[in-house]
Amino acid sequence: MSRAMTGAQIVLEALADQGVEHIFGYPGGAVLPIYDALFQQDRIKHILVRHEQGAVHAAEGYARSTGKVGVVLVTSGPGATNAVTGLTDALMDSIPVVCITGQVPTHLIGNDAFQECDTVGITRPCTKHNYLVKDVNQLSTVLHEAFYVARSGVPGRVVVDIPKDIQFAEGNYAGLSNSQHKSYRPAVKGDEAAVAAAVELMANAKRPIFYTGGGIINSGPLATERLRELVRLTGYPITSTLMGLGAYPASDKQWLGMLGMHGTYEANNAMHDCDVMICIGARFDDRITGRLDAFAPGSKKIHVDIDRSSINKNVHVDIPIVGDCAHVLDQMLAAWKAKNLKVDKPALKTWWDQIDTWRARKCLHYRKRDDVIMPQYAIERLYALTRDKDVYITTEVGQHQMWAAQFFHFDEPNRWMTSGGLGTMGYGIPAAVGVQMAHPDSLVIDIAGEASVQMTMQEMSTAVQYDLPIKIFILNNEYMGMVRQWQELLHGGRYSHSYSEALPDFVKLAEAYQAVGIRAEKPSELDDAIKEMLDTPKPVIFDCRVDKHANCFPMIPSGEAHNNMLMGDDLTGEDLEKAITEEGKVMV
C-alpha cells in the first residue's frame, strides 16, 4: 500500500526497507532535507566523514566486509565530484555502492546555479547506472531499483541524483513490490553444454591450474564453499588475483600464492606452463597477464564470469561460461560427480613435482637485518601476532600493499580490503572506518605507506568521533615506495619527486587527533610495539620505520611474460646495475 510522505522521508523509508543500517556522508545545501529527516528518525545511523571520497571508500569497506550494499549521501556540485574517485574505485573492483546525491532544484538545472554540476553526465562513465529523479512519485521505485542493479550481476555503483525540490515535495511511497529493473536480468546459471565441456577438459588435463579472482568473493559464501570443494576434489593447484585473496585458504598445500606482477615464482610459472587454465571470477587484467602474446601460450582456457563483456575481452578463451560463480561451480561439481570423472594421477604428480621445484626457489625470501626493520619482517610479525584474532585488513596503495598481499595470509574471504583496479592512494583509512563500523568487536588494521596514508588522513577524525579503534600500521620508508622502485629499475635511479619530504611526526599527529601514536625503529622493538597497538582500545597510528631501499619482489617487468621475473636476491648491488640496460629496460 502506498503512503504519502516527503521525498526526503521516502529516501529513508526506502533505505530502511532495503535493510540499510549505516550511511556514510557529508551534508550540504542541496541535501539538507534528507539530513533533516535523518535527524528525526533512529532506524538508520549516519556516519559523518571528513571528505566525500572518504564516504565512498568507507562504504566500499563496509560492503566488502559484509556482502551488503554500501550507501553514501552527499550534496550537489563538489560533494558529488569529490565522490567520483571512490565511485571509480568501486567500478574497477566491482563493489556494490548506492550513492545518493543532492541536486539543485529542477527549475535551476542547466542554469549554472550555485553548486550545480551535471552529476549524471559526470558519473556515467564510472557507474553501472545512474538516475536523475524529476518526479517524487517515482523516487521510491528508482531507489529500490538502484539497490537491485547494485547487487545483481556484476556488483556495481549506482548514483541517484535528487533535486532539492523533489526532496521537499510530497509523494507516494510504493514499497518493495516493484524493485527490479525492467530490462536488466543477468544470467546466473551457466550453459549446461559449456559446463559439461569444461569438466571434461579439466579431467583430461596434464598440467591444470585454477585461476580465481574477486568474482568468487563477490558471489558470496556459497561460491567460496563450492570453489574449495572443487579444488580439493580435483587436487589441482590454485592461485588468485590480488582481489581474490581469501577465497581459498592460504594455509592449504594446494595454494600457490598470489599471481601477477608481484605474484609468487611458483604461481606465475605454473600459469605460464599450464595446459588447462580454469579461470573463475577474474578478468585477465594487465597486472595478471603481462605480455598477452606470451600469456600461458600452450593452454586451453575456461573462463567463468557473470559479465558477458569480460569474455574474450583481453584473452581469447576456449570455453566461455557466462554465469554467477556460485551457480556455475555448483554445476561443475554436479557434472563432475554425475560423470564420475577422474583426474590423471600420474600426470598430476609430475605437475606437482615441477611446482615443488619452483617452490624450492623460496621467492619471498629476503635478507633480515638487526639494525633496521625490513618491511617484509614487519608484515610477518603483524600477521604472527594477530593470526588468532578476528582481523580485517585494509591497505593503501604501493609497496606496502604488495608486501601485505605476500606476507599476510588469508584463510577466509571478505577479510582483505584493498584498491586493486584503480590503485587509489588514500583508500585504506576510510575503508577501515567502514569495516570497523560493520564489525565493531573485530580488529581492523590499515596497512599503509607514509605517502599514501596522508591522502585521506582527515578520516582519523571520523574514527575518533565514533570510537572506532582502527589501527593504522604505516611502513614508513620516507619514499613513495613503488614509484621509487620503478624509477630505480626503469629510469636509471632518477628519483624525481618520489622522496616524501616534510613528513609529519605521526605520533604527534595521532595525538593531535586525540588518538594514540606509537613508533618502532628497530627489529628488537617491533613485537612489543605491535602488542601495545593491539591492546590499545582507541584509534592508533603506528609509525613503523623500515628500510628505505627495500624493493618488492618477485616482479614481472612491464611488458614481459609470466616466466620472466625479477627476483630480489638476484638483483642487489652490482647485479642490479647489470640488470638495467642503457635503454633503461630491466632484463633478467
Side-chain angles (χ1 to χ4, degrees), residues 215-229 247 324-327 329:
I216 293 281
I217 294 172
N218 287 342
S219 183
L222 182 61
T224 300
E225 292 172 16
R226 295 294 183 263
L227 173 69
R228 296 177 181 205
E229 184 179 351
D324 178 76
C325 293
H327 287 84
L329 284 165

Side-chain angles (χ1 to χ4, degrees), residues 88-107:
T88 309
D89 187 272
L91 166 77
M92 296 290 282
D93 290 342
S94 301
I95 310 304
V97 171
V98 170
C99 180
I100 298 168
T101 59
Q103 184 55 276
V104 300
T106 52
H107 68 277

